[in-house]
Amino acid sequence: MSTSQDVAHSIPQVDMLNATSKLQLEAAEVRNGANKPNWTSYLRSQLIPQEDYNFISAYENCKNKTERDEMLNRDRTQTARSMISLITDVAKDQIIRYVLTVFDDMLQEDRSRVEIFHAYAKKQKRTIWSWFMGILTRQDNFIVNQMSSIFAKLACFGTTLMEDKELNYYFNFLKDELKSASNEYVNTTARCLQMMLRIDEYRRDFVILDGIASIMSALNGKANFQLQYQLIFCLWCLTFNSAIAEQVQSSGVIQILGDILSECSKEKVIRIILATFRNILEKIDDREIARESALQMVQCKTLKTLELMDAKKFDDPDLQEDIEFLNEKLAASVQDLSSFDEYCTEVRSGRLQWSPVHKSEKFWRENAQRFNEKNFELIKILIRILDTMSDPLVLCVAAHDVGEYVRHYPRGKNIIEQYQGKQAVMRLLSAEDPNVRYHALLAVQKLMVHNWEYLGKQLDAEKPEGVPVN
């Protein structure tokens, strides 16, 4: 199976962190350190066989790339067999650290060398990754991350793709590494993901494994600007796939990126966020979803941020072009924006605030019935907000809106009860925040008053003739 990297897209080479990555700094120590393996001693002790000794000694004695190419290709089967043996059959961490560093350098120097290993694995009716899965579970973090880096190169540099269980295993490994608060090699984890997600065939599997949520979780943590850039690069790569761009739109990514954009001063982070936003608007085929995405960006104050940026005039022509493109698209989306559209975008974002529509009698009178559209989507979101959110402002606005819906839509009370909204509001009567308690109380009163009005109508309907109306 062959890869289809996004040749048509301007995805640059992955941002290499040779100067700053913990893995690269440690690899430099392994390469240049005094603790290089004494292969003669290991041969005498029978820790390694003669053919592996011959291979690694010859490779180390090569003075340049031409000599290395000649040596590796002289007996490609032995090259693959010896590298695998030196990594998997040797117990000493010190040797494995060294051999993995040699292996990583070998692939980095010439990407086509991955084919030596894929061809050998094919002959053995295996995949090259099958020999190395256990290395990802070792205790030595340098070994684990150097192996992870090699996994990504083997998966991305050649024409053979990682598939099925191995791909799922590797993606789950990367997700766990992203989530780990103690991962000192998180830049390497992100770099591996950057490489993998440049290839379209890998993107869908990553998204199926809930990969977007793991990137967002890492972005929500205390990510420095370098890690922010790398993780957003991953999201940007995902948005080249139009089906995934639609999912990105509904996952909260736009809100997180909007927040980072409004606070960020690093040009490379700004550039990658705007490129991601542009991709989302351009790649989504469904016009309604593309419009909703634009409205989410407006909701995140992106237009204001763009205006400030436009005044700066960046030197980078691509960045300047993205600013102008987004300015135009977002301004156009605002022009044909009804107050109900604006309200829907706000509710779907989960970031409720006292924008004018909430307090507008006219808005509720004209739109209360529209809350029933799309199988009561807005009602369900409001109730979910009441159940799950902790932000007092958001809870106040959600409780207020539930009350207004009930007040302006005759069957509103039944709908709210049907979706357990009444219990959600009642629970907030004992909230810590006095404002939340107050708005919950108002909403409960509206629920009850509606009931009394209904009861009054029922009594009138059942009243015998001749009895005076109070």
Side-chain angles (χ1 to χ4, degrees):
M1 188 174 177
S2 64
T3 63
S4 71
Q5 298 200 12
D6 285 287
V7 177
H9 310 310
S10 58
I11 298 187
Q13 289 303 312
V14 174
D15 192 50
M16 295 301 178
L17 304 169
N18 293 338
T20 55
S21 152
K22 179 176 170 64
L23 187 80
Q24 296 295 342
L25 293 172
E26 288 185 7
E29 284 175 26
V30 170
R31 265 183 227 110
N32 309 322
N35 292 327
K36 272 190 178 179
N38 182 337
W39 298 117
T40 309
S41 149
Y42 292 140
L43 178 65
R44 280 202 213 100
S45 315
Q46 297 186 320
L47 280 173
I48 60 170
Q50 183 74 48
E51 58 266 28
D52 292 352
Y53 169 82
N54 294 345
F55 166 81
I56 195 70
S57 303
Y59 187 74
E60 284 182 342
N61 288 330
C62 293
K63 296 179 179 61
N64 52 47
K65 181 180 184 298
T66 306
E67 288 187 14
R68 282 189 284 275
D69 282 339
E70 193 181 315
M71 184 256 150
L72 292 172
N73 287 309
R74 195 174 302 136
D75 185 347
R76 290 162 72 94
T77 297
Q78 189 58 54
T79 292
R81 192 187 289 139
S82 285
M83 286 305 296
I84 292 167
S85 167
L86 287 166
I87 293 164
T88 59
D89 294 344
V90 178
K92 289 190 73 167
D93 279 358
Q94 183 203 341
I95 298 181
I96 297 172
R97 287 167 76 99
Y98 178 79
V99 176
L100 285 177
T101 304
V102 168
F103 194 10
D104 195 59
D105 290 347
M106 183 189 292
L107 300 181
Q108 187 63 46
E109 183 177 53
D110 186 338
R111 293 175 169 220
S112 69
R113 289 173 181 163
V114 300
E115 302 301 351
I116 297 172
F117 300 94
H118 287 307
Y120 175 75
K122 210 171 189 178
K123 277 186 197 161
Q124 308 296 313
K125 296 186 167 48
R126 295 176 65 168
T127 69
I128 188 61
W129 301 282
S130 64
W131 276 281
F132 303 132
M133 299 299 263
I135 306 288
L136 293 178
T137 62
R138 290 181 73 112
Q139 295 302 304
D140 184 307
N141 287 328
F142 174 84
I143 287 175
V144 168
N145 283 279
Q146 191 66 288
M147 189 76 254
S148 175
S149 186
I150 291 165
F151 258 59
K153 290 179 175 70
L154 291 168
C156 299
F157 286 176
T159 56
T160 304
L161 286 181
M162 195 189 287
E163 293 179 289
D164 305 328
K165 287 180 182 172
E166 288 174 344
L167 181 60
N168 287 353
Y169 181 88
Y170 184 51
F171 272 148
N172 279 319
F173 164 81
L174 291 176
K175 280 172 51 192
D176 290 344
E177 291 292 293
L178 270 190
K179 286 180 201 160
S180 167
S182 60
N183 181 9
E184 294 179 285
Y185 298 85
V186 69
N187 290 109
T188 297
T189 306
R191 183 179 147 204
C192 292
L193 254 188
Q194 283 177 271
M195 292 171 66
M196 295 293 288
L197 297 179
R198 292 180 75 230
I199 296 174
D200 193 49
E201 285 87 342
Y202 293 147
R203 293 172 186 153
R204 196 174 58 87
D205 291 87
F206 183 69
V207 171
I208 288 169
L209 292 169
D210 207 20
I212 293 174
S214 66
I215 292 176
M216 285 170 61
S217 170
L219 274 174
N220 272 330
K222 292 185 169 64
N224 59 32
F225 80 86
Q226 177 57 45
L227 184 57
Q228 278 181 343
Y229 171 80
Q230 290 181 269
L231 294 170
I232 299 165
F233 185 105
C234 293
L235 293 172
W236 176 60
C237 287
L238 287 172
T239 59
F240 279 102
N241 181 305
S242 58
I244 295 173
E246 291 186 7
Q247 287 174 263
V248 164
Q249 181 273 333
S250 59
S251 65
V253 162
I254 291 172
Q255 288 86 349
I256 285 184
L257 296 190
D259 287 349
I260 294 171
L261 184 66
S262 63
E263 295 165 7
C264 184
S265 58
K266 286 288 175 187
E267 189 171 315
K268 67 189 236 174
V269 177
I270 292 169
R271 192 190 313 120
I272 201 74
I273 292 174
L274 296 187
T276 306
F277 279 178
R278 179 170 186 163
N279 254 8
I280 290 171
L281 297 184
E282 285 188 320
K283 300 292 177 192
I284 293 176
D285 297 325
D286 186 308
R287 282 182 62 191
E288 190 53 41
I289 296 177
R291 181 168 171 272
E292 178 64 31
S293 303
L295 296 182
Q296 280 186 21
M297 291 173 198
V298 172
Q299 182 80 29
C300 299
K301 312 282 191 293
T302 303
L303 258 178
K304 277 185 186 166
T305 310
L306 288 170
E307 281 167 25
L308 294 171
M309 285 181 188
D310 208 18
K312 275 186 189 175
K313 295 293 177 200
F314 290 94
D315 293 333
D316 181 341
D318 289 342
L319 176 53
Q320 199 57 45
E321 192 190 319
D322 284 348
I323 290 171
E324 286 161 18
F325 172 88
L326 288 166
N327 248 329
E328 188 182 318
K329 283 281 183 191
L330 299 190
S333 74
V334 169
Q335 277 173 359
D336 36 294
L337 183 64
S338 72
S339 58
F340 186 69
D341 291 329
E342 199 177 335
Y343 178 85
C344 291
T345 306
E346 188 183 323
V347 170
R348 288 185 189 123
S349 77
R351 300 177 173 209
L352 298 179
Q353 50 193 316
W354 290 118
S355 53
V357 289
H358 300 280
K359 298 291 185 74
S360 163
E361 188 74 22
K362 180 172 181 283
F363 170 81
W364 289 103
R365 200 168 55 246
E366 290 174 358
N367 293 298
Q369 188 150 353
R370 297 194 64 187
F371 278 60
N372 306 339
E373 292 172 5
K374 296 186 180 174
N375 195 22
F376 304 100
E377 180 200 13
L378 291 174
I379 296 301
K380 289 174 185 172
I381 295 173
L382 285 171
I383 291 168
R384 188 166 71 242
I385 286 170
L386 292 173
D387 276 331
T388 60
M389 292 282 200
S390 56
D391 185 318
L393 172 61
V394 172
L395 290 173
C396 288
V397 179
H400 168 272
D401 288 3
V402 165
E404 288 299 275
Y405 168 70
V406 167
R407 189 159 76 89
H408 288 88
Y409 180 63
R411 287 187 53 250
K413 176 183 181 295
N414 297 344
I415 307 292
I416 294 297
E417 286 191 352
Q418 182 184 333
Y419 292 108
Q420 280 77 51
K422 186 176 179 182
Q423 296 96 306
V425 175
M426 300 282 277
R427 276 195 294 275
L428 294 182
L429 292 172
S430 55
E432 277 183 44
D433 189 283
N435 289 323
V436 174
R437 292 200 301 271
Y438 170 72
H439 283 286
L441 183 60
L442 287 183
V444 169
Q445 285 175 344
K446 287 169 191 171
L447 278 159
M448 303 308 288
V449 166
H450 189 80
N451 205 16
W452 294 336
E453 287 171 356
Y454 176 72
L455 187 62
K457 284 176 190 167
Q458 285 296 99
L459 290 172
D460 285 346
E462 293 165 13
K463 195 181 295 172
E465 286 183 80
V467 175
V469 177
N470 288 339

